[in-house]
Amino acid sequence: MKITSAEFVKSAFAREHWTDDGRPEISFLGRSNVGKSSLLNSLLQRKGLARTSNTPGRTQSINFFLVNESFYFVDLPGYGYAKVSRDQRENWQKFIEDYILERENLMCMFVLIDARIPPQKIDLEFTSWLGEHGIPFVLVFTKIDKLSKKEFSDNMDAY
């Protein structure tokens, strides 16, 4: 598929801010600092469209990007480590769960995994949770350029 247009539409900090035009959505989710925004920018061929940071927990809203005027890429806050309060982390978790379980136009989730590290409990629990709820997802391994082929192969086999 060729990307002919991509634009940031809105950030949602509450359910009432979600898009409501019925277009299909493909969401991106993973642990904090796994490279969600970098992947989005690469796929959309627009440097800096999705905000990137070296600090975990920067994405604190659900961000909607309209692609080819026909569907959305949706950047979700990362799960796991972030320098925020426990209450804030729990609020994000509830917000993300509500989005995942209630979006009728959510077609698929891309779950990003840092290929440099072996399977983490939080990633395995999250993907199991998606499966239990019948949410279609694809694992996307990031940061593979920082591994040898053997290291990458070993971590892939573990999944």
Side-chain angles (χ1 to χ4, degrees):
M1 167 189 235
K2 182 174 179 164
I3 304 292
T4 57
S5 66
E7 66 180 283
F8 170 77
V9 174
K10 66 165 70 176
S11 291
F13 293 91
R15 174 188 321 241
E16 55 269 15
H17 301 136
W18 294 348
T19 60
D20 61 359
D21 60 14
R23 289 184 173 123
E25 296 175 1
I26 299 170
S27 297
F28 294 76
L29 183 64
R31 287 186 302 114
S32 294
N33 222 30
V34 74
K36 294 182 305 297
S37 298
S38 294
L39 177 61
L40 279 165
N41 287 333
S42 178
L43 291 172
L44 297 174
Q45 303 166 5
R46 294 274 307 275
K47 191 174 189 173
L49 184 62
R51 188 172 154 206
T52 61
S53 172
N54 288 329
T55 306
R58 285 291 184 207
T59 302
Q60 299 183 6
S61 58
I62 295 178
N63 298 305
F64 294 86
F65 300 89
L66 184 59
V67 181
N68 292 348
E69 298 183 21
S70 59
F71 64 94
Y72 290 101
F73 277 174
V74 183
D75 187 10
L76 299 171
Y79 57 84
Y81 176 80
K83 287 187 178 181
V84 296
S85 71
R86 180 182 209 147
D87 286 346
Q88 181 65 42
R89 204 171 303 129
E90 288 173 1
N91 288 340
W92 285 350
Q93 181 178 346
K94 176 74 172 124
F95 189 43
I96 293 167
E97 284 179 11
D98 289 349
Y99 170 82
I100 293 169
L101 295 176
E102 296 177 19
R103 290 303 277 181
E104 293 179 15
N105 44 340
L106 176 59
M107 301 294 113
C108 184
M109 296 202 65
F110 287 168
V111 179
L112 280 65
I113 304 289
D114 187 335
R116 298 174 300 177
I117 57 178
Q120 301 294 296
K121 181 179 179 187
I122 193 169
D123 294 321
L124 298 173
E125 288 174 348
F126 180 68
T127 54
S128 291
W129 181 84
L130 288 173
E132 289 166 11
H133 291 321
I135 307 297
F137 70 92
V138 174
L139 293 180
V140 177
F141 290 89
T142 63
K143 306 182 183 191
I144 61 172
D145 58 321
K146 301 174 190 221
L147 292 171
S148 71
K149 288 183 181 181
K150 169 104 173 80
E151 290 170 319
F152 177 64
S153 177
D154 289 347
N155 284 348
M156 285 290 296
D157 289 345
Y159 275 94

